[in-house]
Amino acid sequence: MIEPDLPLLSTGEVLSALVDEVANLQARQYAVMRKVAELNRRGAASELGYKDLPQVLQHAVRWSRKTAKQWVANAALLASGITPTGSEIAAELPVTASAAAEGVLSIEHVAVVAEIMKDLPAECEQTVVDLARAHDPVELRAMGRKLVYALLQNDPEPRDPEPVRQVNQHVMQWKGDCLEIWARLDKVTGAKYEALLDPLAKPRPTTEAEGPDPRSRAEREGDALAELVDLMLRADQLPEHGGEPVTLTVTMRYEDLAEQVGQGMLDNGERVPAAEVRRLACSAGIIPLVLGERSRPMDIGRKTRSFPAGIRRVLVARDKGCAFPCCGRPPKHCDAHHIHHWANGGDTSVKNAVLLCRNHHTLIHQSEWEVKMVHGLPTFYPPSWLDPDQKPRRNLANSVA
């Protein structure tokens, strides 16, 4: 089909063409959604050795994790009844299915219709779909609530719902040289946090030399949090991360450290000057990893299956986190994996190990992905269904010095 010369069309003609294109697009999206639902129904992720279907879609069509999860969530609506009339599965919402197949409803419309129909009898579906044809999803949701209220307002009042369990949330993001933290804690955890922080956040005593404490409350609490972190690093009962107590690794070339020049790298990728590295090396819970000709990776052969702390620190310096292509999980979230399995004769050594997050560690064990050492670096080979040529891949982000 030849695309019309848009500048020659009137505004009305361009809009009409746009409406037709969107209808075609929505019909195709619905067709894609049916295929996602079918993959979900037959357990494609398990069949291919993947953790879940979003992970399969990430690799197969290169969607982001967020996008893949959204498509799978919407496809679950198909499994619950938004199935075209005439298929082997009876449609619980046949009017919605027919409209979606025509392309007059977006996937978001379909989700809202299904949400509204949970509280309405089947005979109301045509009314809801008619509203969906004329309004956007936000307006439709509001109208649906009014419709539900109008039909059910004479029903007996429901009992007060059970209180929803509070969920703890924590978000952190690097901005420049600072880590910004946001948290929402339940009442009990919040009270414990206050009890830990308050004693450390008290103003310093007033002295003749320094006068009163000049720090604001926010600054005092920030310093208290920093002190709390140091206290935790010095504790001897911390939970383990990757097989050893919580530590912070600082990696730096021996020559630079000796001459007090250059920078060291923390195990989250941030860099600090040499003078700061020397200071950190004196702190408990801080592990200096110095790289140079005299540094030798510690291999322990077949004596044990688990990786000791020494090998793990070398892996952190080499892989800088999960080595799987495009993964950004930091070392603290990773396990050391035997490339040639220990049970099959593989030794416990740096050259036979790679850092993998739990997600990709499971994937390597259960799927057709393979990892090999090539020129001293972990290299991954995808399944043939994903790449018929099985071209080697590496985590380029972690390979940048």
Side-chain angles (χ1 to χ4, degrees):
M1 180 178 178
I2 300 176
E3 181 72 19
D5 193 351
L6 295 180
L8 300 179
L9 300 179
S10 68
T11 300
E13 290 173 325
V14 173
L15 277 175
S16 178
L18 174 63
V19 170
D20 291 341
E21 292 287 356
V22 169
N24 290 332
L25 175 63
Q26 290 179 163
R28 295 307 305 159
Q29 285 182 322
Y30 184 70
V32 170
M33 193 64 64
R34 290 183 60 197
K35 292 177 176 63
V36 173
E38 174 60 19
L39 288 171
N40 204 23
R41 183 194 66 79
R42 64 174 61 184
S46 178
E47 179 182 336
L48 297 172
Y50 276 63
K51 172 187 174 184
D52 52 29
L53 188 55
Q55 190 182 41
V56 175
L57 297 178
Q58 279 182 275
H59 288 167
V61 294
R62 299 179 301 284
W63 282 339
S64 68
R65 176 79 178 171
K66 180 179 179 181
T67 299
K69 289 178 69 175
Q70 186 62 55
W71 275 83
V72 172
N74 286 336
L77 296 172
L78 297 175
S80 64
I82 317 288
T83 309
T85 304
S87 66
E88 296 179 359
I89 305 174
E92 294 181 14
L93 299 177
V95 180
T96 308
S98 178
E102 292 175 24
V104 295
L105 298 184
S106 69
I107 297 301
E108 191 177 0
H109 277 107
V110 172
V112 175
V113 171
E115 177 186 323
I116 294 170
M117 288 305 299
K118 289 179 181 178
D119 298 319
L120 293 175
E123 55 266 25
C124 293
E125 185 189 3
Q126 184 65 62
T127 299
V128 176
V129 171
D130 289 342
L131 289 173
R133 288 173 178 267
H135 299 278
D136 67 50
V138 175
E139 294 173 335
L140 175 63
R141 181 175 280 108
M143 291 179 175
R145 284 196 293 264
K146 292 180 180 179
L147 183 59
V148 171
Y149 178 77
L151 291 177
L152 304 180
Q153 62 177 326
N154 295 325
D155 286 0
E157 289 292 329
R159 282 188 265 174
D160 290 335
E162 292 291 327
V164 178
R165 186 181 71 85
Q166 290 180 301
V167 177
N168 292 321
Q169 294 178 303
H170 180 271
V171 178
M172 53 186 176
Q173 180 180 11
W174 282 96
K175 291 189 175 179
D177 294 329
C178 296
L179 178 66
E180 291 190 357
I181 300 173
W182 176 92
R184 184 190 296 274
L185 305 176
D186 63 60
K187 292 180 180 179
V188 175
T189 306
K192 293 177 182 177
Y193 182 76
E194 282 186 323
L196 283 171
L197 213 61
D198 282 351
L200 301 174
K202 291 180 179 179
R204 288 194 291 264
T206 300
T207 64
E208 292 185 6
E210 297 180 315
D213 191 338
R215 298 174 299 167
S216 67
R217 181 180 180 84
E219 290 172 333
R220 286 188 281 110
E221 290 181 346
D223 289 341
L225 180 58
E227 187 173 350
L228 186 61
V229 170
D230 286 338
L231 287 172
M232 292 300 292
L233 283 174
R234 291 191 292 271
D236 60 357
Q237 294 181 340
L238 289 179
E240 290 189 345
H241 275 284
E244 62 176 320
V246 174
T247 55
L248 177 64
T249 302
V250 185
T251 305
M252 190 172 184
R253 292 178 64 245
Y254 175 80
E255 294 83 354
D256 291 345
L257 183 61
E259 298 175 12
Q260 300 188 48
V261 297
Q263 295 180 320
M265 187 172 67
L266 305 178
D267 54 13
N268 63 358
E270 295 295 321
R271 297 180 182 274
V272 292
E276 183 72 3
V277 174
R278 294 174 72 89
R279 186 186 70 80
L280 290 173
C282 298
S283 303
I286 309 293
I287 302 297
L289 180 64
V290 182
L291 303 179
E293 292 182 358
R294 296 183 181 180
S295 297
R296 295 284 194 276
M298 182 182 61
D299 294 342
I300 59 175
R302 296 280 300 158
K303 293 180 181 179
T304 180
R305 177 178 61 84
S306 58
F307 288 89
I311 288 184
R312 179 175 173 82
R313 288 168 195 150
V314 176
L315 293 177
V316 168
R318 186 194 71 193
D319 296 344
K320 304 180 181 66
C322 180
F324 193 86
C326 299
C327 185
R329 302 291 280 181
K332 297 294 186 186
H333 297 173
C334 296
D335 299 320
H337 164 74
H338 285 84
I339 295 175
H340 181 48
H341 202 285
W342 189 84
N344 297 330
D347 59 4
T348 302
S349 63
V350 172
K351 63 185 179 183
N352 189 44
V354 58
L355 282 186
L356 294 172
C357 67
R358 178 171 297 180
N359 181 22
H360 290 122
H361 197 173
T362 302
L363 180 65
I364 288 295
H365 276 288
Q366 296 185 353
S367 74
E368 297 176 16
W369 277 89
E370 293 186 22
V371 56
K372 300 177 181 178
M373 293 299 294
V374 179
H375 302 305
L377 294 175
T379 305
F380 295 79
Y381 297 83
S384 57
W385 65 263
L386 180 60
D387 179 5
D389 297 328
Q390 295 187 292
K391 295 180 180 178
R393 307 182 184 189
R394 287 181 180 157
N395 191 328
L396 299 180
N398 288 355
S399 66
V400 177

